[in-house]
Structures are given as structure tokens and as C-alpha cells.
Amino acid sequence: MMDLGGKRIILGSNSPRRQELLRRLDIDFEVDTDNNFQESVGEGIPFEEVPALMSVGKSHGFHRPLGDDEILITADTMVIIPSDERHPGEILGKPRDRADAIRMLSDLSGREHKVVTAVTIRDSRGEETFSDTTLVHFRQLSMSEIEYYVDTYKPYDKAGAYAIQEWIGAVGITRIEGSYSNVVGFPIERVYEALIKYSSI
């Protein structure tokens, strides 16, 4: 059990997947997503840097100052299609609707993409932001498979319109290089390493 010396962990995310992963560290935390940050990115920012900008923005957009005994954790996950002969390159956030989810999965089908998650850990004295990247490869999916997944699992709250831990991950993903939990939305191994700095474990 990690001893954080009386520090209180605040997770600034509504994601049930991030909450589940953080619980695996056997630490107590509360969820507070009250935030003033408006998500927007200027032109010309490299795709891989966008999650870190969003994560830092969420941290500093927290609705109140942090107490001396508090640690705030924020994160942002994006699916990135690299530029190649098939595609000009794109950041995939959460789909707007069914058609957008089908489009995203069609673009991911039969190709490799990156999942980048950035995490910001901040207290009253300082902060740290890190990013983790995992390569994910989908086999070629049929339209009926894509439509079945979208209509059954409704992945409208998931970056790239899929969750690796659901049906689509079992039947469609042939290989990953890097952290599995990062694809879920929270590189919990890296989070643990960062929190050790506050711990007497």
C-alpha cells in the first residue's frame, strides 16, 4: 500500500476506465471534474504534443487552488493516424455520432496507429507532465463488423471510437507495442512511478 504521507489524490476525470485503473494502485482518491478549461489547439502543433497541452490545460483549469495536502491528476488520450499514402494524418478524438464512429473505425481498419496519453500530476509546489505512446495494429475490418461494434457498444465517449478491452479489441487488434493500459486511457505504470515521489513506500 502506497503511503502518500497524508496527501489526498484528486482525479480530474470522469472516465470510468481511468478510475478503475487508478483503483488498482490501492490508493484512495476522489473525483472532481469541475473545470474551466476550454479545449482548443492552435494550428501547426505536432499531433503527438496535443495530449500534453490538453492535460496541462485541464490541470490549470481546475476550479480552485490546490491545498498543500492535495495532488491533482489530469489526463488526455488521443488516437493518431500517421500520415501515409492512404491518409493525410489525423487526430481522432471522441466521435460526434454513429456516422463519425463508423468513419473513424474505417480509417483505423487494416493499419497501425498511435495512442498517446498525457498525464499531469500537480500539487501546490509543482507539477510534472509526461506522455506515453502505444502502437496499435488493426486487421482489416468488414463494414458489418464495424457497424455491429458501433451499434452494440456505442463508443461515443472513447477516443478513436473504440475501447481495446471490448469486443473490437478481441477480434480486431492483432498487435500492440507498448503499454496496454495506455490504450485503455491511463498509463498506470507511469502514474505509479510518478506518485512514488510523494510516497514513503
Side-chain angles (χ1 to χ4, degrees):
M1 179 72 174
M2 184 182 293
D3 180 5
L4 293 172
K7 291 276 190 178
R8 295 170 52 233
I9 299 291
I10 301 170
L11 178 63
S13 173
N14 272 323
S15 167
R17 295 164 294 281
R18 289 189 182 127
Q19 293 171 26
E20 178 185 352
L21 285 166
L22 191 55
R23 288 190 193 99
R24 294 183 186 178
L25 298 185
D26 289 344
I27 58 175
D28 295 327
F29 65 93
E30 61 186 87
V31 175
D32 187 342
T33 59
D34 194 353
N35 204 292
N36 304 313
F37 177 58
Q38 300 294 320
E39 296 189 24
S40 63
V41 180
E43 295 184 7
I45 304 291
F47 289 166
E48 285 80 2
E49 296 179 14
V50 173
L53 293 174
M54 296 296 102
S55 179
V56 171
K58 292 175 183 178
S59 181
H60 288 275
F62 193 63
H63 65 102
R64 61 173 176 79
L66 294 177
D68 290 340
D69 64 340
E70 295 177 323
I71 301 171
L72 175 65
I73 304 175
T74 54
D76 194 84
T77 300
M78 290 186 178
V79 172
I80 299 173
I81 299 178
S83 174
D84 60 20
E85 67 280 357
R86 277 184 55 192
H87 201 284
E90 182 183 3
I91 292 177
L92 301 182
K94 298 173 183 177
R96 296 183 301 273
D97 51 29
R98 180 180 186 271
D100 199 32
I102 290 173
R103 177 193 68 82
M104 288 183 180
L105 289 171
S106 297
D107 285 344
L108 294 172
S109 175
R111 66 182 305 141
E112 186 178 83
H113 64 274
K114 297 178 180 180
V115 178
V116 180
T117 299
V119 178
T120 300
I121 298 179
R122 181 168 65 88
D123 65 7
S124 61
R125 293 184 297 276
E127 67 184 80
E128 173 187 3
T129 298
F130 56 84
S131 294
D132 200 82
T133 300
T134 303
L135 298 179
V136 181
H137 189 84
F138 268 105
R139 69 170 176 82
Q140 193 69 43
L141 301 169
S142 69
M143 184 53 65
S144 62
E145 288 172 326
I146 291 172
E147 290 178 341
Y148 169 78
Y149 175 69
V150 171
D151 292 339
T152 302
Y153 290 86
K154 304 186 186 309
Y156 305 125
D157 64 336
K158 299 173 177 67
Y162 79 90
I164 191 172
Q165 68 272 26
E166 293 179 342
W167 179 86
I168 196 76
V171 305
I173 292 176
T174 59
R175 183 176 71 254
I176 72 167
E177 298 175 39
S179 166
Y180 175 90
S181 68
N182 183 56
V183 185
V184 177
F186 209 38
I188 198 62
E189 311 91 344
R190 297 282 302 277
V191 173
Y192 178 77
E193 291 174 2
L195 288 176
I196 283 177
K197 299 171 186 177
Y198 300 90
S199 172
S200 59
I201 191 170

